[in-house]
């Protein structure tokens, strides 16, 4: 059982997983391997001169794994909050996973959020018709389910979705810890 399950391993999901795992939270990432970033060529990502979407996804995954995040390629079909204390996530293969919280980072896909009964709203980005309604910090209408990235209504640009994944993770870590969490590494001389 994980503390947090992240659904989706694009820039938002992998970034959330990186911050969660680095903070010592047991993190499981379930990914259907359908990220729109797989088709991207990126020349506007701060800190990278240019990079292919597949390379960006690979590096992000490796960074999160370095701190202990576990990745499994599975398509999630059901998220059940079991009345409030735990979340059970079921996959197409029939497997089940449990956690105390879930972060949805499913890119442009809101079908799962709709099936869960989360509040949805109209999207602002071209070709993104519907997004999950959040409080701006990633909290959805269900206190155990959070949302990050494009599915939460932020811009589809990889640097923005990655930043949103980090922000949502920081908010969730702060809630779990009961104190504001800050992650700053210091250059060692």
């Amino acid at each position: 059982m994980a503390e947090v399950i992240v659904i989706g391993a694009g820039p938002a999901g992998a970034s959330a997983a990186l911050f969660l795992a680095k903070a010592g939270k047991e993190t499981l990432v379930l990914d259907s391997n359908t990220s729109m970033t797989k088709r991207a060529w990126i020349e506007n990502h701060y800190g990278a001169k240019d990079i292919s979407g597949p390379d960006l996804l690979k590096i992000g995954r490796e960074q999160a794994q370095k701190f202990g995040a576990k990745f499994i390629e599975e398509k999630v079909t059901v998220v059940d909050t079991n009345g409030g204390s735990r979340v059970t996530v079921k996959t197409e293969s029939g497997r089940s996973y449990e956690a105390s919280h879930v972060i949805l980072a499913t890119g442009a896909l809101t079908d799962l959020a709709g099936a869960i009964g989360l509040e949805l709203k109209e999207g602002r980005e071209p070709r993104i018709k519907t997004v999950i309604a959040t409080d701006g910090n990633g909290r959805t209408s269900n206190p155990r389910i959070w949302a990050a990235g494009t599915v939460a209504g932020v811009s589809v640009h990889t640097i923005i979705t990655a930043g949103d994944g980090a922000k949502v993770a920081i908010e969730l870590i702060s809630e779990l810890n009961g104190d504001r969490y800050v992650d700053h590494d210091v250059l060692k001389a």
Side-chain angles (χ1 to χ4, degrees):
M1 181 171 64
E3 259 183 284
V4 181
I5 294 174
V6 179
I7 301 173
S15 183
L18 169 59
F19 274 80
L20 288 160
K22 192 167 183 268
K25 305 304 177 191
E26 188 175 343
T27 306
L28 174 64
V29 182
L30 300 173
D31 184 55
S32 64
N33 198 24
T34 59
S35 174
M36 66 178 108
T37 304
K38 287 173 44 176
R39 301 181 307 274
W41 176 253
I42 303 155
E43 294 185 12
N44 61 352
H45 201 97
Y46 177 80
K49 291 181 183 184
D50 52 49
I51 190 168
S52 73
D55 285 343
L56 182 69
L57 294 172
K58 179 180 181 278
I59 291 167
R61 180 180 178 142
E62 288 170 351
Q63 286 177 303
Q65 286 174 319
K66 172 185 172 185
F67 294 104
K70 307 258 187 284
F71 286 72
I72 299 175
E73 191 171 316
E74 288 266 21
K75 182 177 181 181
V76 173
T77 55
V78 175
V79 176
D80 183 357
T81 55
N82 303 313
S85 64
R86 306 292 302 155
V87 182
T88 302
V89 175
K90 297 180 182 177
T91 65
E92 204 168 58
S93 70
R95 291 187 181 118
S96 290
Y97 304 91
E98 282 195 343
S100 61
H101 292 273
V102 167
I103 297 176
L104 296 175
T106 54
L109 306 176
T110 57
D111 295 349
L112 185 59
I116 297 167
L118 296 179
E119 182 184 341
L120 303 175
K121 66 180 186 177
E122 186 176 330
R124 298 180 325 145
E125 293 284 300
R127 297 181 299 280
I128 308 295
K129 302 294 182 217
T130 307
V131 297
I132 300 169
T134 72
D135 68 353
N137 289 321
R139 291 177 186 87
T140 71
S141 56
N142 184 309
R144 296 227 171 257
I145 302 175
W146 300 64
T150 302
V151 77
V154 302
S155 175
V156 298
H157 296 90
T158 59
I159 195 147
I160 296 170
T161 60
D164 194 59
K167 176 188 80 174
V168 171
I170 294 295
E171 294 299 328
L172 178 51
I173 295 162
S174 296
E175 184 172 299
L176 291 171
N177 290 351
D179 195 20
R180 186 69 182 165
Y181 177 76
V182 177
D183 179 359
H184 287 290
D185 295 320
V186 178
L187 187 60
K188 294 175 179 128

